[in-house]
Amino acid sequence: MRHFIIAIMMLGTLPAIAQGTWERPEQNQQENKAKAKENAYQYSYYLGDVVPVVNGEVRWEKTFNNSKSGDENYAAMLDLLTAMTKDEGQMKESIVALVNKDERKIVCHFEEWMTFKNTFLALDRTRFIYTLMAECKNQQVKVTIFRINYWYEEQRNGGSRFKAEEWITDENALNKKHTKLAKISGKFRVKTVDRIQDIFDHIGTGILAQ
């Protein structure tokens, strides 16, 4: 009898629950706000001056100093860049395209996968295309990364092609107040900045360690 009465009382509360206003517990709201704040802080770096534009072209440049001669730097960079063209994720189009031993210059063409999301249900990625030039001198190597392009969703009716100048600059990848990343081009900006830094870190470690 007691259980029957309790059941009746519970059924009596259902209309009130159904008619009331449902909302998330305060703890969940606080966790969501904290997560949003953390994400905003994480991406704030990419809202700054992180995509260099030189004479209208997106171009990254970095100079590495060491104690090697120009010929030693040239040989070391040729070995390092040749190995890079064969790294995982590189396509068959990635090659050492041109060399000038007299001027100690090396030009490479890279085409690699840049992945935004890779799950069981979805694969979101783009072909990342760029030119890398190394200029080797005594105790110095200058690396330039330019002619940056993207070929997005190429498997879908040929996909879409973008130049960095029209896609990841401040004007194209940020909102007007430069407080938020654009929904689509913003993810290209983030991944490109990270990838360029990875390349420079790899070259810096390699050229200084050899």
Side-chain angles (χ1 to χ4, degrees):
M1 184 67 179
R2 183 170 176 270
H3 292 296
F4 178 75
I5 294 173
I6 293 174
I8 294 296
M9 291 176 63
M10 291 180 65
L11 287 172
T13 63
L14 288 177
I17 293 174
Q19 295 173 7
T21 301
W22 288 79
E23 61 183 21
R24 293 182 179 274
E26 184 178 349
Q27 181 179 357
N28 287 350
Q29 292 180 359
Q30 291 175 348
E31 289 176 354
N32 290 338
K33 289 180 180 179
K35 186 175 181 180
K37 186 175 181 180
E38 180 181 351
N39 288 338
Y41 175 79
Q42 178 184 357
Y43 288 105
S44 63
Y45 168 76
Y46 303 99
L47 304 177
D49 186 19
V50 293
V51 178
V53 179
V54 181
N55 296 325
E57 180 183 42
V58 174
R59 172 185 290 254
W60 272 270
E61 299 177 346
K62 187 164 185 176
T63 299
F64 302 87
N65 298 309
N66 59 21
S67 59
K68 297 180 176 67
S69 68
D71 289 339
E72 288 174 330
N73 276 328
Y74 175 82
M77 282 302 298
L78 185 57
D79 287 345
L80 188 149
L81 293 173
T82 300
M84 280 179 58
T85 63
K86 298 175 173 59
D87 283 347
E88 183 179 358
Q90 295 297 328
M91 302 179 181
K92 64 181 186 329
E93 291 84 359
S94 296
I95 59 170
V96 175
L98 296 168
V99 296
N100 187 324
K101 191 172 181 179
D102 294 335
E103 296 183 8
R104 305 191 193 100
K105 293 181 180 180
I106 306 166
V107 178
C108 299
H109 175 82
F110 285 97
E111 296 194 22
E112 61 189 53
W113 287 119
M114 176 180 284
T115 303
F116 306 114
K117 184 179 182 180
N118 187 4
T119 66
F120 178 75
L121 298 175
L123 175 59
D124 184 17
R125 66 182 182 180
T126 186
R127 188 184 292 234
F128 180 46
I129 306 165
Y130 58 95
T131 297
L132 187 153
M133 181 171 66
E135 301 173 77
C136 306
K137 300 179 180 180
N138 292 328
Q139 302 178 350
Q140 187 180 95
V141 175
K142 180 182 178 182
V143 176
T144 306
I145 299 174
F146 59 112
R147 294 177 187 166
I148 298 171
N149 292 269
Y150 310 91
W151 188 359
Y152 188 45
E153 295 185 331
E154 58 187 87
Q155 74 280 4
R156 296 186 180 181
N157 299 320
S160 304
R161 295 174 182 260
F162 308 101
K163 293 182 178 180
E165 291 76 19
E166 63 187 13
W167 200 234
I168 66 167
T169 58
D170 293 358
E171 292 77 12
N172 296 289
L174 304 179
N175 64 357
K176 291 183 178 180
K177 294 182 179 181
H178 292 190
T179 57
K180 292 183 179 180
L181 291 164
K183 185 175 181 179
I184 303 298
S185 56
K187 66 183 181 181
F188 284 76
R189 179 182 174 103
V190 170
K191 284 289 186 178
T192 301
V193 170
D194 288 348
R195 177 56 179 151
I196 297 298
Q197 188 58 57
D198 286 343
I199 293 170
F200 282 154
D201 288 345
H202 178 67
I203 291 175
T205 301
I207 197 66
L208 295 176
Q210 294 174 353

